[in-house]
Amino acid sequence: MANAQASPRKMPKLDPSAEANGDSQDILEEIDAIQTHLDSLNDKASDEILKVEQKYNQMRKPHYKKRSDLIAKIPDFWLNTFMNHPQIAALLDEADEEVLRYMTQLTVEETEDIRSGYKIIFEFKTNPFFENTQLIKEFTMSESGDMGTSETKINWKPGMALTEKNGDNKGKGKKRDRENEPPSFFSWFEDSSMGGDEVGEVIKDDIWANPMQYYLDLDEEEELEDDEVEGEEEDEVEGDANDGEEELEDDEVEGEEEDEVEGDANDGEEE
């Protein structure tokens, strides 16, 4: 997406009575020319960065595919990953968790120009909740810079619609009062009124980027603690080795001293 050409900047009017007014005007015009050149360089830099991002997005695709194929072999991988992410876990109730047990794949696809949006693809095996095997939520940037969404219509099976009221009213066509009830994962999915919401960004930038971190429930503090424990263990091993060397040296010294004493005793006997 081409960058909009910067509109000419308006030069401030100077007080005609100011001293050296002509010199100030010349300096301001020179500064403005430099800034115009900087803006042009920034635009070129953005274009170059975009090309690099597009290149590496293509290079990542086969690795994402291989990772997804392996993840599909692990039961409840995505359920556990979502439950271990604090922001996503806040959306999950027991019913959401039951549905997510049937989720087999997660994919995030950015638009070719990257800047204009992305879509999140959720894939499911046959389940008792809905007919769909694939649900897609797409985020699209408008020309005005606003993010809008569109999503797959979920074909809920009779009596299984999670976005309708729970309990006795479930499946009877009475929609959830979303203002009074806590949000859920599938109410987020079906809500097209939300713009560039935080949940989509979290899935794209956190979970899709490194799902293993959340599946294993790792955080930076735990990783640092693990590094510290490894360092302590290495220090202990090194300390034990040093102690062993010192003991050997002490034994050697004691042996030498005993030899000297024995030698002096032998000399005394000979005399």
Side-chain angles (χ1 to χ4, degrees):
M1 184 169 61
N3 293 322
Q5 186 175 359
S7 58
R9 278 181 288 276
K10 294 181 179 179
M11 299 297 293
K13 293 181 180 180
L14 299 178
D15 184 356
S17 63
E19 187 177 354
N21 183 35
D23 291 342
S24 296
Q25 185 68 33
D26 291 342
I27 292 171
L28 286 173
E29 288 178 357
E30 188 173 353
I31 293 172
D32 186 63
I34 292 172
Q35 188 60 50
T36 299
H37 185 62
L38 287 172
D39 290 343
S40 176
L41 289 176
N42 290 337
D43 289 341
K44 289 179 181 179
S46 296
D47 291 338
E48 292 298 323
I49 291 169
L50 177 60
K51 290 176 183 178
V52 172
E53 289 177 347
Q54 290 172 328
K55 172 186 173 182
Y56 280 92
N57 271 355
Q58 292 299 318
M59 294 173 66
R60 292 186 188 105
K61 284 184 177 180
H63 298 286
Y64 285 144
K65 175 66 168 60
K66 186 175 181 180
R67 185 183 72 181
S68 294
D69 291 343
L70 292 171
I71 285 174
K73 299 177 182 180
I74 302 176
D76 297 338
F77 180 91
W78 291 112
L79 169 62
N80 290 321
T81 299
F82 283 9
M83 290 178 66
N84 288 337
H85 192 292
Q87 289 165 278
I88 302 300
L91 290 175
L92 302 179
D93 57 25
E94 290 183 6
D96 290 328
E97 292 172 12
E98 284 300 313
V99 178
L100 291 175
R101 290 186 185 279
Y102 295 91
M103 183 174 161
T104 58
Q105 297 281 9
L106 172 72
T107 306
V108 173
E109 293 182 358
E110 293 185 287
T111 54
E112 186 175 350
D113 67 1
I114 299 175
R115 296 169 177 164
S116 60
Y118 61 95
K119 60 183 175 181
I120 304 174
I121 304 169
F122 306 88
E123 295 186 36
F124 295 84
K125 58 187 175 183
T126 302
N127 65 81
F129 295 93
F130 45 73
E131 302 290 346
N132 313 69
T133 58
Q134 186 180 81
L135 299 177
I136 302 174
K137 191 171 182 75
E138 189 163 2
F139 300 79
T140 307
M141 184 79 72
S142 67
E143 292 183 1
S144 63
D146 297 325
M147 185 72 81
T149 66
S150 60
E151 48 280 321
T152 305
K153 183 182 185 302
I154 301 179
N155 298 319
W156 297 102
K157 293 181 179 180
M160 303 305 291
L162 302 189
T163 49
E164 295 173 355
K165 283 189 176 181
N166 294 327
D168 295 337
N169 294 323
K170 185 175 181 180
K172 295 183 180 179
K174 295 185 178 181
K175 294 294 183 183
R176 244 184 200 173
D177 184 354
R178 290 177 181 171
E179 293 183 359
N180 297 324
E181 291 192 21
S184 73
F185 182 80
F186 286 95
S187 65
W188 161 78
F189 180 86
E190 289 191 329
D191 191 351
S192 59
S193 65
M194 301 177 100
D197 65 285
E198 188 177 356
V199 177
E201 295 294 321
V202 163
I203 293 175
K204 177 173 73 76
D205 296 333
D206 286 2
I207 292 179
W208 173 246
N210 186 5
M212 280 286 289
Q213 177 181 350
Y214 298 100
Y215 177 75
L216 297 175
D217 199 14
L218 298 176
D219 57 33
E220 292 182 1
E221 290 184 2
E222 288 180 347
E223 290 176 357
L224 288 173
E225 288 175 1
D226 291 341
D227 291 341
E228 289 175 359
V229 169
E230 289 178 3
E232 290 173 0
E233 290 175 351
E234 290 175 358
D235 291 340
E236 288 178 4
V237 170
E238 185 176 347
D240 292 341
N242 291 335
D243 291 342
E245 291 177 359
E246 289 175 0
E247 289 177 1
L248 288 174
E249 290 176 358
D250 291 341
D251 291 342
E252 290 175 358
V253 170
E254 289 177 3
E256 291 174 357
E257 290 176 350
E258 289 175 358
D259 291 341
E260 289 178 3
V261 170
E262 186 176 347
D264 292 340
N266 293 333
D267 292 341
E269 291 176 0
E270 288 176 0
E271 292 176 359

